[in-house]
Amino acid sequence: MPQPLLFKSGFVSFIGRPNVGKSTMMNALLGEKVAIISNKPQTTRTKITGVLTCEESQIIFVDTPGIHRPKSKLGEFMVRAAQSGMGDADVVLYLVEPDEKVGPGDADILAKLQQRGGVIFLVINKLDTVAKPKMLTVIDAYQSRCTDGFAFAEIIPVSAITGENLATLQNNIIKHLPQGPRYFPDDVLTDQPERVLAAEFIREKLLQMLEDEIPHGIAVEITTFKPRENKNMLDIEATIICERDSHKGIVIGKAGAVLKEVGKRARLDMERFFGQPINLQLWVKVRKDWRDSDVHLRSFGYKS
Ligand code: GDP
Ligand code: MG
């Protein structure tokens, strides 16, 4: 499928107290669409829990350990996220019950979210259980708790069970996503979403750096992806596969300058996403006609 000029993509996380409906809502948003959900244990701090691909956008739902836990863990994460940008999401969906009494758990989350800043939606779930006018009092209760200068990017009452207003929620998420690539091919099911994403971060930087010099005949294969023992560090090795010898030279650049810059930019994105330092090694190989080879295609994560 050709990619529209203004394709948008980004990372979205749910936050909220237990039982507020986070899991139900993500499943409802994903619906029948093919979702990438890994059942293998993922090795990074930030987990991909689902991918929703639409015609002009891709929403990647992420889960960061700590983000759902109120009190200290959450605070720790928020402070770190605010300081370093690590494990950050483009949009945070803050889910609450349709109750005008803001409990201590929510007061705490709210304080941390305000400290964090960024794009935060107030999503009031379980709309089906209350009379609509009550929603206004709930909205009031949460807004009156916000400090001056903070505002929710959107306030949306929904029902994850009946589906009411979920389309509005989805459209508003897309509205706030940055322009970005389709990180995951449309119909790919993988139990290694982290590898697919790592490869796509690299491919994206290559396309950015090379612009029109090289046709899209470039693939990226992740050959190593493992946490280093006893250290907060991920070792990632990737091979960039070109169709022609001449392309290899362009990808490497003068004195390796292009490859070095691609590696640096990709590494920064990966560190932000995976939430830990990364040692990234890039290799370049020529594999003529790789696009015609079914075996190769499969190993790159494309479904035939
Ligand atoms: P999580 O802990 O935040 O992931 O919450 P869950 O998704 O597991 O949902 C907790 C409970 O709330 C489940 O029994 C859901 O069926 C219920 N629930 C979730 N969303 C709604 C909703 O929109 N309306 C109603 N009535 N119940 C909901
Ligand atoms: Mg849950």
Side-chain angles (χ1 to χ4, degrees):
M1 198 193 278
Q3 200 153 302
L5 276 175
L6 275 174
F7 198 85
K8 294 174 123 191
S9 57
F11 303 99
V12 174
S13 64
F14 288 95
I15 187 164
R17 295 176 57 236
N19 288 320
V20 71
K22 300 176 292 290
S23 304
T24 311
M25 195 172 299
M26 191 189 74
N27 290 333
L29 285 166
L30 292 172
E32 298 295 303
K33 306 249 173 77
V34 172
I36 299 174
I37 298 177
S38 169
N39 39 26
K40 277 193 191 168
Q42 282 166 293
T43 48
T44 52
R45 174 169 289 278
T46 311
K47 283 194 171 91
I48 296 164
T49 53
V51 177
L52 176 58
T53 305
C54 310
E55 226 160 88
E56 300 185 348
S57 62
Q58 187 165 66
I59 301 171
I60 301 168
F61 292 106
V62 296
D63 188 12
T64 304
I67 199 171
H68 291 163
R69 265 168 256 159
K71 308 247 160 30
S72 63
K73 283 286 181 203
L74 174 73
E76 216 178 276
F77 166 76
M78 288 301 175
V79 169
R80 220 175 31 239
Q83 285 167 348
S84 64
M86 280 183 182
D88 221 351
D90 296 296
V91 177
V92 173
L93 305 178
Y94 172 35
L95 265 66
V96 298
E97 299 278 346
D99 187 341
E100 69 276 356
K101 288 193 283 297
V102 181
D106 275 306
D108 192 44
I109 294 175
L110 200 50
K112 301 295 179 355
L113 285 174
Q114 292 184 79
Q115 202 180 315
R116 175 195 185 274
V119 178
I120 299 164
F121 287 15
L122 178 65
V123 181
I124 305 164
N125 192 28
K126 311 192 184 178
L127 177 56
D128 57 294
T129 64
V130 293
K132 292 207 173 133
K134 194 188 168 188
M135 277 297 174
L136 296 176
T137 64
V138 179
I139 293 171
D140 253 11
Y142 277 88
Q143 279 190 313
S144 68
R145 291 234 171 196
C146 293
T147 49
D148 287 348
F150 174 86
F152 292 109
E154 307 284 346
I155 298 177
I156 307 172
V158 299
S159 169
I161 293 270
T162 67
E164 189 171 359
N165 260 352
L166 281 183
T168 306
L169 174 62
Q170 188 179 316
N171 290 336
N172 278 285
I173 293 171
I174 294 167
K175 192 173 102 188
H176 287 275
L177 289 183
Q179 199 180 339
R182 189 189 301 266
Y183 291 106
F184 294 89
D186 298 352
D187 52 357
V188 156
L189 274 168
T190 175
D191 57 4
Q192 297 190 315
E194 305 166 297
R195 282 178 175 243
V196 176
L197 189 63
E200 231 8 69
F201 278 139
I202 296 167
R203 223 171 67 85
E204 177 197 18
K205 303 307 170 212
L206 278 166
L207 295 177
Q208 265 176 19
M209 290 285 298
L210 299 173
E211 297 197 358
D212 302 327
E213 281 179 271
I214 295 207
H216 287 228
I218 285 184
V220 177
E221 190 174 20
I222 303 293
T223 52
T224 303
F225 192 111
K226 58 168 194 273
R228 194 174 297 178
E229 241 171 282
N230 304 322
K231 212 171 167 205
N232 179 28
M233 163 93 71
L234 269 178
D235 285 302
I236 301 178
E237 283 183 63
T239 305
I240 297 165
I241 297 145
C242 314
E243 287 180 306
R244 299 202 194 126
D245 295 315
S246 60
H247 291 171
K248 181 175 170 177
I250 296 170
V251 166
I252 293 172
K254 229 183 233 165
V258 173
L259 194 61
K260 211 179 202 173
E261 186 61 24
V262 165
K264 186 179 136 201
R265 291 187 192 181
R267 181 177 54 77
L268 290 174
D269 269 12
M270 289 175 189
E271 289 183 340
R272 173 176 174 260
F273 181 77
F274 294 121
Q276 63 197 103
I278 284 167
N279 169 39
L280 177 65
Q281 306 266 2
L282 295 179
W283 312 89
V284 187
K285 256 194 210 161
V286 178
R287 210 181 278 168
K288 291 186 177 111
D289 304 323
W290 67 260
R291 277 196 281 192
D292 299 330
S293 158
D294 199 34
V295 178
H296 287 157
L297 280 180
R298 250 192 228 121
S299 68
F300 301 146
Y302 294 83
K303 212 171 96 183
S304 51

